[in-house]
Amino acid sequence: GAGVSQSPSNKVTEKGKDVELRCDPISGHTALYWYRQSLGQGLEFLIYFQGNSAPDKSGLPSDRFSAERTGGSVSTLTIQRTQQEDSAVYLCASSPHMGSQYFGPGTRLTVL
Amino acid sequence: AQRVTQPEKLLSVFKGAPVELKCNYSYSGSPELFWYVQYSRQRLQLLLRHISRESIKGFTADLNKGETSFHLKKPFAQEEDSAMYYCALSGGYSSASKIIFGSGTRLSIRP
Protein backbone atom coordinates (compact mmCIF):
# COMPACT_ATOMS: atom_id res chain seq x y z
CA GLY A 1 0.00 0.00 0.00
CA ALA A 2 1.04 3.57 -0.66
CA GLY A 3 0.29 4.83 2.80
CA VAL A 4 -2.61 5.99 4.90
CA SER A 5 -5.55 7.07 2.79
CA GLN A 6 -8.61 9.07 3.77
CA SER A 7 -11.88 9.71 2.03
CA PRO A 8 -13.43 11.94 1.03
CA SER A 9 -10.67 14.50 0.59
CA ASN A 10 -13.22 17.29 0.84
CA LYS A 11 -16.70 17.30 2.30
CA VAL A 12 -19.14 20.18 2.30
CA THR A 13 -22.30 19.65 4.29
CA GLU A 14 -25.17 21.59 5.74
CA LYS A 15 -25.52 22.26 9.42
CA GLY A 16 -27.48 19.48 11.10
CA LYS A 17 -26.51 16.73 8.67
CA ASP A 18 -24.49 13.67 9.64
CA VAL A 19 -21.11 12.94 8.02
CA GLU A 20 -18.86 9.90 7.88
CA LEU A 21 -15.14 10.16 7.36
CA ARG A 22 -13.10 7.13 6.41
CA CYS A 23 -9.52 6.14 7.12
CA ASP A 24 -7.60 3.26 5.56
CA PRO A 25 -4.42 2.66 7.56
CA ILE A 26 -1.23 1.06 6.37
CA SER A 27 -1.68 -2.68 6.28
CA GLY A 28 -0.48 -4.33 9.46
CA HIS A 29 -0.50 -1.19 11.57
CA THR A 30 -2.16 -1.98 14.87
CA ALA A 31 -2.75 1.56 16.12
CA LEU A 32 -4.93 4.18 14.46
CA TYR A 33 -5.44 7.78 15.51
CA TRP A 34 -7.87 10.56 14.66
CA TYR A 35 -7.00 14.25 15.01
CA ARG A 36 -8.68 17.52 14.16
CA GLN A 37 -6.80 20.52 12.81
CA SER A 38 -8.71 23.77 12.86
CA LEU A 39 -7.55 26.94 11.12
CA GLY A 40 -4.71 28.47 13.06
CA GLN A 41 -4.79 25.71 15.66
CA GLY A 42 -2.57 22.74 16.29
CA LEU A 43 -3.60 19.13 16.14
CA GLU A 44 -6.35 18.22 18.55
CA PHE A 45 -6.34 14.55 19.57
CA LEU A 46 -9.74 12.92 19.19
CA ILE A 47 -9.40 9.17 19.69
CA TYR A 48 -7.06 6.27 19.12
CA PHE A 49 -7.56 2.57 18.49
CA GLN A 50 -5.37 -0.32 19.46
CA GLY A 51 -6.71 -3.06 17.24
CA ASN A 52 -10.47 -2.60 17.26
CA SER A 53 -10.74 -1.17 20.73
CA ALA A 54 -10.46 2.47 21.72
CA PRO A 55 -8.60 2.78 25.04
CA ASP A 56 -8.84 6.57 25.04
CA LYS A 57 -11.88 8.48 23.77
CA SER A 58 -11.19 11.49 25.92
CA GLY A 59 -10.55 13.79 22.99
CA LEU A 60 -13.96 13.44 21.38
CA PRO A 61 -15.49 16.94 21.67
CA SER A 62 -19.06 15.85 22.29
CA ASP A 63 -21.40 12.89 22.08
CA ARG A 64 -22.11 13.88 18.47
CA PHE A 65 -18.72 12.39 17.62
CA SER A 66 -18.14 8.66 17.45
CA ALA A 67 -15.64 6.36 15.80
CA GLU A 68 -15.27 2.72 15.12
CA ARG A 69 -12.71 0.39 13.67
CA THR A 70 -13.45 -2.99 12.22
CA GLY A 71 -11.20 -5.92 11.39
CA GLY A 72 -8.23 -4.06 12.83
CA SER A 73 -8.16 -2.02 9.65
CA VAL A 74 -10.56 0.62 8.32
CA SER A 75 -11.92 3.24 10.68
CA THR A 76 -14.81 5.63 10.33
CA LEU A 77 -15.34 8.85 12.25
CA THR A 78 -18.98 9.89 12.38
CA ILE A 79 -20.18 13.36 13.27
CA GLN A 80 -23.91 13.64 13.88
CA ARG A 81 -25.91 16.85 13.56
CA THR A 82 -22.89 18.78 12.33
CA GLN A 83 -22.29 22.31 13.55
CA GLN A 84 -20.27 25.09 11.95
CA GLU A 85 -17.58 24.75 14.61
CA ASP A 86 -16.97 21.20 13.37
CA SER A 87 -15.39 22.66 10.23
CA ALA A 88 -11.76 21.55 10.21
CA VAL A 89 -9.30 19.17 8.62
CA TYR A 90 -9.67 15.71 10.10
CA LEU A 91 -6.43 13.75 10.07
CA CYS A 92 -5.94 10.05 10.51
CA ALA A 93 -2.64 8.36 11.35
CA SER A 94 -1.58 4.77 11.85
CA SER A 95 1.43 3.21 13.46
CA PRO A 96 2.86 -0.24 13.94
CA HIS A 97 3.27 -1.49 17.46
CA MET A 98 5.86 0.72 19.17
CA GLY A 99 6.27 2.74 15.99
CA SER A 100 5.94 6.30 14.82
CA GLN A 101 2.81 7.63 13.22
CA TYR A 102 2.16 7.87 9.51
CA PHE A 103 -0.40 10.45 8.57
CA GLY A 104 -3.02 10.51 5.88
CA PRO A 105 -3.74 13.53 3.69
CA GLY A 106 -6.76 14.55 5.74
CA THR A 107 -10.42 15.27 5.03
CA ARG A 108 -11.38 18.92 4.86
CA LEU A 109 -14.86 19.28 6.33
CA THR A 110 -16.85 22.44 5.76
CA VAL A 111 -20.18 22.87 7.52
CA LEU A 112 -22.32 25.60 6.00
CA ALA B 1 -1.90 17.48 32.94
CA GLN B 2 -0.17 16.53 29.73
CA ARG B 3 0.70 19.56 27.68
CA VAL B 4 3.07 20.57 24.88
CA THR B 5 3.88 24.25 24.49
CA GLN B 6 5.42 25.84 21.42
CA PRO B 7 5.68 29.51 22.33
CA GLU B 8 6.43 30.82 18.85
CA LYS B 9 3.71 30.79 16.20
CA LEU B 10 6.11 32.12 13.59
CA LEU B 11 9.88 32.09 13.35
CA SER B 12 11.63 33.85 10.49
CA VAL B 13 15.39 33.55 9.95
CA PHE B 14 17.80 34.17 7.10
CA LYS B 15 19.25 31.33 5.07
CA GLY B 16 22.46 30.12 6.69
CA ALA B 17 21.49 31.36 10.15
CA PRO B 18 21.00 28.99 13.09
CA VAL B 19 17.49 27.85 13.92
CA GLU B 20 15.98 26.88 17.25
CA LEU B 21 12.32 25.94 17.56
CA LYS B 22 11.26 25.84 21.18
CA CYS B 23 9.19 23.11 22.78
CA ASN B 24 8.35 22.65 26.44
CA TYR B 25 6.25 19.88 27.88
CA SER B 26 4.37 18.93 30.99
CA TYR B 27 4.06 15.24 31.81
CA SER B 28 4.20 13.18 34.99
CA GLY B 29 6.32 10.25 33.93
CA SER B 30 8.78 9.43 31.19
CA PRO B 31 7.40 10.68 27.90
CA GLU B 32 8.51 10.03 24.40
CA LEU B 33 9.02 13.25 22.42
CA PHE B 34 8.73 13.80 18.68
CA TRP B 35 9.06 16.54 16.10
CA TYR B 36 6.74 16.39 13.09
CA VAL B 37 6.97 18.58 10.01
CA GLN B 38 4.44 19.59 7.38
CA TYR B 39 5.80 21.07 4.16
CA SER B 40 3.52 23.08 1.90
CA ARG B 41 0.84 20.88 0.30
CA GLN B 42 2.30 17.72 1.84
CA ARG B 43 1.06 15.52 4.63
CA LEU B 44 2.37 15.65 8.16
CA GLN B 45 5.44 13.46 8.63
CA LEU B 46 7.78 12.46 11.40
CA LEU B 47 11.03 14.41 11.48
CA LEU B 48 12.69 12.85 14.49
CA ARG B 49 12.05 11.20 17.85
CA HIS B 50 14.16 11.57 20.93
CA ILE B 51 14.81 7.88 21.54
CA SER B 52 16.44 7.58 18.12
CA ARG B 53 18.99 10.29 18.83
CA GLU B 54 19.24 10.89 15.10
CA SER B 55 20.04 13.94 13.04
CA ILE B 56 17.54 14.27 10.22
CA LYS B 57 18.05 16.89 7.48
CA GLY B 58 20.58 18.52 9.77
CA PHE B 59 18.08 18.89 12.62
CA THR B 60 18.72 17.63 16.14
CA ALA B 61 16.72 17.76 19.35
CA ASP B 62 17.86 16.95 22.85
CA LEU B 63 15.49 16.01 25.61
CA ASN B 64 16.23 18.07 28.71
CA LYS B 65 14.26 16.53 31.55
CA GLY B 66 15.35 19.17 34.04
CA GLU B 67 13.94 21.97 31.91
CA THR B 68 11.22 19.74 30.41
CA SER B 69 12.25 20.91 26.97
CA PHE B 70 12.81 19.34 23.57
CA HIS B 71 13.99 22.20 21.39
CA LEU B 72 14.67 21.55 17.70
CA LYS B 73 17.92 22.96 16.35
CA LYS B 74 19.76 23.31 13.08
CA PRO B 75 23.05 25.19 12.74
CA PHE B 76 22.53 26.51 9.21
CA ALA B 77 19.00 27.03 7.88
CA GLN B 78 18.13 26.22 4.27
CA GLU B 79 15.24 27.56 2.23
CA GLU B 80 13.72 24.10 1.96
CA ASP B 81 13.35 24.03 5.76
CA SER B 82 10.42 26.43 5.49
CA ALA B 83 7.46 24.47 6.89
CA MET B 84 5.16 24.01 9.86
CA TYR B 85 6.80 22.18 12.76
CA TYR B 86 4.94 20.40 15.55
CA CYS B 87 6.36 19.08 18.78
CA ALA B 88 4.50 16.08 20.20
CA LEU B 89 4.49 13.92 23.30
CA SER B 90 3.49 10.33 23.93
CA GLY B 91 3.22 8.57 27.24
CA GLY B 92 4.14 5.10 26.04
CA TYR B 93 7.37 3.60 24.83
CA SER B 94 6.12 0.08 24.48
CA SER B 95 2.67 0.45 23.06
CA ALA B 96 0.41 2.86 21.28
CA SER B 97 -0.91 5.64 23.43
CA LYS B 98 -2.44 9.06 23.20
CA ILE B 99 -0.22 11.63 21.52
CA ILE B 100 -0.43 15.30 22.38
CA PHE B 101 0.69 17.91 19.84
CA GLY B 102 1.78 21.48 20.37
CA SER B 103 0.14 24.27 18.43
CA GLY B 104 2.97 24.38 15.92
CA THR B 105 5.58 26.88 14.77
CA ARG B 106 5.75 28.12 11.21
CA LEU B 107 9.38 28.40 10.16
CA SER B 108 10.11 30.79 7.32
CA ILE B 109 13.60 30.92 5.84
CA ARG B 110 14.42 34.15 4.06
CA PRO B 111 16.88 34.04 1.15
Side-chain angles (χ1 to χ4, degrees), chain A residues 1-38:
Chain A
V4 178
S5 60
Q6 293 184 244
S7 61
S9 55
N10 275 287
K11 176 72 177 177
V12 180
T13 190
E14 293 179 346
K15 178 180 170 182
K17 301 276 191 189
D18 297 352
V19 295
E20 253 189 25
L21 311 180
R22 177 186 168 109
C23 173
D24 284 87
I26 293 172
S27 178
H29 280 193
T30 56
L32 185 149
Y33 303 78
W34 283 99
Y35 297 90
R36 180 167 69 175
Q37 188 175 31
S38 304

Side-chain angles (χ1 to χ4, degrees), chain A residues 11-15 19 21 36-41 44 61 64-65 79 81-90 107-112:
Chain A
K11 176 72 177 177
V12 180
T13 190
E14 293 179 346
K15 178 180 170 182
V19 295
L21 311 180
R36 180 167 69 175
Q37 188 175 31
S38 304
L39 188 64
Q41 305 293 317
E44 177 187 1
R64 296 187 295 105
F65 287 71
I79 309 173
R81 305 182 302 281
T82 52
Q83 304 293 313
Q84 288 182 332
E85 61 262 29
D86 299 334
S87 296
V89 175
Y90 289 82
T107 293
R108 182 175 296 279
L109 175 65
T110 303
V111 182
L112 302 176

Side-chain angles (χ1 to χ4, degrees), chain B residues 64-84:
Chain B
N64 185 322
K65 292 186 179 180
E67 295 182 358
T68 58
S69 68
F70 189 58
H71 303 327
L72 183 68
K73 300 177 183 178
K74 184 169 182 176
F76 307 104
Q78 299 172 290
E79 288 186 66
E80 54 264 34
D81 296 330
S82 294
M84 194 75 181

Side-chain angles (χ1 to χ4, degrees), chain A residues 4 31 33 35 37 40-43 45 48 50 56 58 97-101 103-105, chain B residues 9 34 36 38 43-46 49 86 93-104:
Chain A
V4 178
Y33 303 78
Y35 297 90
Q37 188 175 31
Q41 305 293 317
L43 275 75
F45 168 82
Y48 88 92
Q50 182 64 30
D56 192 336
S58 62
H97 184 64
M98 295 176 64
S100 305
Q101 294 181 77
F103 279 83
Chain B
K9 281 191 181 292
F34 308 83
Y36 282 82
Q38 189 167 27
R43 62 182 69 184
L44 196 61
Q45 59 186 283
L46 178 69
R49 56 196 299 189
Y86 294 94
Y93 285 104
S94 60
S95 64
S97 63
K98 180 177 177 176
I99 298 187
I100 304 297
F101 281 79
S103 55

Side-chain angles (χ1 to χ4, degrees), chain B residues 33-50:
Chain B
L33 277 296
F34 308 83
W35 277 98
Y36 282 82
V37 60
Q38 189 167 27
Y39 300 103
S40 179
R41 288 185 291 277
Q42 293 187 29
R43 62 182 69 184
L44 196 61
Q45 59 186 283
L46 178 69
L47 180 62
L48 55 80
R49 56 196 299 189
H50 91 270

